[in-house]
Amino acid sequence: MLRTCAAVTALLFFAAASAWAQGPGLTVHKAAPTVAHRTFDPKHPPQDIPVMVSGEAGLLHYEFTTDIGVGGDTDVLGPGNVNVTIDTVDINLSLPITMWLENNAPQRLVEHETGHMSISEYYYANIDVYARRAGQAVMGKTFNGTGKDKQSAVNNATDKAVKQIEKEILDQTRVRAVACNDRYDKITDHSRNPGSQADAAAKAESDDPEPNGGKPATAQPSASAQP
């Protein structure tokens, strides 16, 4: 079984770019995926376990998380009405994964949940590439914001920029990972069908292949770019 969500933290900055220690420009940092293995007694499940379908003995929970900060010049058009021209974008990316398995889960189930994990990592591999592309798309772009006062208007404008970046990143990663995991479950019937779970995961990936065969397009886990 699979449980996925996207966690997005938007850090909204409207101060001049000089307030950023790294200076104006685009910065992207991608952390390596982290994996936690948790076992549980189905008769006494821990309080922090995600909701599971009755009868399931395992679950993979993963999150494509983005922490996005934007900054730029603010032009006040009137009370509660501003334009913000973006000149600074900072994006931090991570993929926390937790594999939940009942005590003494069969190896077949372990292999199945491992397949879900590999798919999640497959579509995370090039997330920094998509993040740089999304960040570059808003650099120099002006977003209008409205609100009850200047601060709320600025927040409205910067939130639009953050949401644009977020959507492009997740459309290329999380959305595709969810679809691939669904294909994988159909191929395997949630591990019940015979055959290799790893081969089934590879088959599901091949229907929507990631560039470079899912290998990171950059040599380092973090990358920075200046426009």
Side-chain angles (χ1 to χ4, degrees), residues 170-191:
L170 296 183
D171 281 352
Q172 293 297 325
T173 55
R174 176 188 178 270
V175 171
R176 295 169 65 207
V178 170
C180 186
N181 276 303
D182 287 343
R183 293 193 299 271
Y184 172 64
D185 275 333
K186 290 180 180 178
I187 293 170
T188 63
D189 189 20
H190 299 270
S191 82

Side-chain angles (χ1 to χ4, degrees), residues 72-78 81-85 142-145 150 154:
D73 292 328
T74 300
D75 183 17
V76 178
L77 305 180
N81 188 3
V82 303
N83 281 339
V84 177
T85 302
T142 299
F143 293 84
N144 179 255
K150 176 184 176 182
V154 169

Side-chain angles (χ1 to χ4, degrees), residues 6 17 38 49 59 65 103 111 117 121 137 161 181 197:
R38 301 282 301 273
I49 190 171
L59 177 148
T65 65
N103 295 333
E111 293 172 357
M117 181 173 65
E121 293 175 335
N181 276 303
Q197 301 295 293

Side-chain angles (χ1 to χ4, degrees), residues 46-124:
Q47 292 184 347
D48 60 339
I49 190 171
V51 177
M52 298 181 66
V53 175
S54 178
E56 294 284 355
L59 177 148
L60 189 88
H61 178 86
Y62 65 91
E63 300 176 0
F64 286 79
T65 65
T66 63
D67 186 347
I68 305 169
V70 299
D73 292 328
T74 300
D75 183 17
V76 178
L77 305 180
N81 188 3
V82 303
N83 281 339
V84 177
T85 302
I86 304 300
D87 59 17
T88 306
V89 177
D90 183 53
I91 306 172
N92 290 280
L93 309 161
S94 63
L95 178 65
I97 300 171
T98 304
M99 184 183 296
W100 293 88
L101 295 168
E102 284 188 5
N103 295 333
N104 303 312
Q107 182 61 27
R108 182 72 171 178
L109 181 59
V110 175
E111 293 172 357
H112 181 74
E113 300 304 336
T114 299
H116 279 303
M117 181 173 65
S118 69
I119 289 171
S120 306
E121 293 175 335
Y122 179 81
Y123 287 102
Y124 181 75

Side-chain angles (χ1 to χ4, degrees), residues 2-21:
L2 181 69
R3 184 78 61 194
T4 175
C5 68
V8 180
T9 303
L11 303 181
L12 308 180
F13 297 92
F14 62 92
S18 59
W20 291 69

